[in-house]
């Protein structure tokens, strides 16, 4: 704000990548957005990290396939196409195995533009299977503030904004600690 000679009162909307992503990173990002929004009761947009990444490569020819490494043999992924100035969602945000993603893409026949920190992982796996893929250029491969802002603009146009109290991270799966706790509960239940 200082570099742009603006103050928080000049801001109309607070946007944040609300997920998927790292549990700690999402909590910190959403908390920061809430902290900026609450004092002036600013509207908020919690956007899909994957949609934000898709916007950075929407000008490229092919289907857009953001992928973030979710570990455990999975990627966080969604698929999009772009036409007539509109980003069209082909799938919901999800955690999906590379094998399941490959199976889904085999029938598409369209070149997939791979973007995100899981791009290399997906590209290598899909290329080996003969699925037509292209890596996004390195300068467009990762999430950007511009992509978050562009996705937030679309939310605002659709009237899908929230207030700071309604802003929440979207994790798409349980944390390691929650999975371990559920296992312990299950094991105790099996022993009873």
């Amino acid at each position: 704000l200082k570099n742009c000679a603006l103050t928080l009162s000049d801001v109309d909307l607070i946007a944040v990548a609300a997920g998927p992503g790292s549990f700690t990173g999402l909590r910190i990002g959403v908390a920061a957005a809430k902290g900026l929004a609450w004092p002036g009761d600013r509207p908020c947009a919690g956007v899909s990290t994957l949609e934000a990444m898709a916007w950075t490569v929407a000008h490229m020819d092919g289907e857009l396939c953001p992928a973030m490494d979710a570990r455990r043999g999975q990627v966080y992924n969604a698929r999009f196409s772009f036409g007539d100035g509109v980003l069209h969602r082909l799938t919901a945000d999800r955690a999906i195995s590379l094998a399941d993603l490959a199976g889904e893409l085999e029938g598409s026949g369209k070149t997939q533009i791979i973007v995100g920190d899981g791009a290399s992982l997906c590209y290598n796996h899909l290329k080996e299977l003969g699925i037509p893929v292209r890596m996004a250029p390195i300068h467009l491969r990762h999430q950007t503030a511009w992509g978050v802002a562009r996705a937030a603009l679309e939310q605002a146009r659709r009237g899908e904004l929230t207030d700071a109290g309604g802003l929440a991270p979207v994790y798409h799966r349980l944390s390691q600690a929650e999975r371990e706790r559920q296992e312990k509960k299950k094991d105790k239940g099996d022993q009873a």
Side-chain angles (χ1 to χ4, degrees):
L1 290 172
K2 183 179 177 182
N3 288 343
C4 296
L6 298 172
T7 66
L8 193 53
S9 63
D10 296 315
V11 175
D12 296 324
L13 170 67
I14 304 295
V16 65
S22 77
F23 291 91
T24 302
L26 293 177
R27 283 192 297 271
I28 291 169
V30 168
K34 286 180 176 219
L36 292 169
W38 254 315
D41 197 28
R42 300 280 183 275
C44 298
V47 303
S48 159
T49 309
L50 297 165
E51 182 179 341
M53 287 190 294
W55 274 109
T56 65
V57 292
H59 64 283
M60 296 181 73
D61 205 18
E63 287 185 353
L64 314 174
C65 190
M68 299 171 64
D69 189 351
R71 311 278 189 260
R72 303 177 62 162
Q74 293 185 322
V75 290
Y76 293 120
N77 165 263
R79 294 179 43 232
F80 301 87
S81 65
F82 184 78
D84 300 322
V86 178
L87 191 64
H88 302 278
R89 186 176 277 277
L90 303 175
T91 67
D93 290 2
R94 67 230 171 137
I96 188 171
S97 72
L98 288 174
D100 288 345
L101 179 59
E104 182 180 295
L105 295 178
E106 281 178 327
S108 163
K110 297 187 177 180
T111 299
Q112 302 296 311
I113 309 300
I114 310 294
V115 60
D117 72 0
S120 295
L121 181 68
C122 283
Y123 178 84
N124 293 334
H125 183 77
L126 297 173
K127 190 81 169 166
E128 285 175 10
L129 297 174
I131 297 170
V133 292
R134 286 178 48 206
M135 287 278 266
I138 190 71
H139 67 285
L140 300 175
R141 200 166 298 156
H142 297 285
Q143 178 184 329
T144 66
W146 180 87
V148 173
R150 187 63 180 86
L153 174 62
E154 291 304 312
Q155 272 192 11
R157 287 178 174 165
R158 294 189 304 262
E160 297 173 355
L161 302 177
T162 188
D163 60 9
L167 195 59
V170 181
Y171 297 117
H172 294 287
R173 70 177 190 197
L174 297 175
S175 70
Q176 179 70 30
E178 290 166 324
R179 287 192 303 270
E180 289 173 3
R181 185 178 59 200
Q182 285 186 352
E183 275 300 313
K184 286 180 183 178
K185 283 175 84 175
K186 180 182 165 198
D187 290 344
K188 286 181 182 179
D190 290 344
Q191 293 173 2

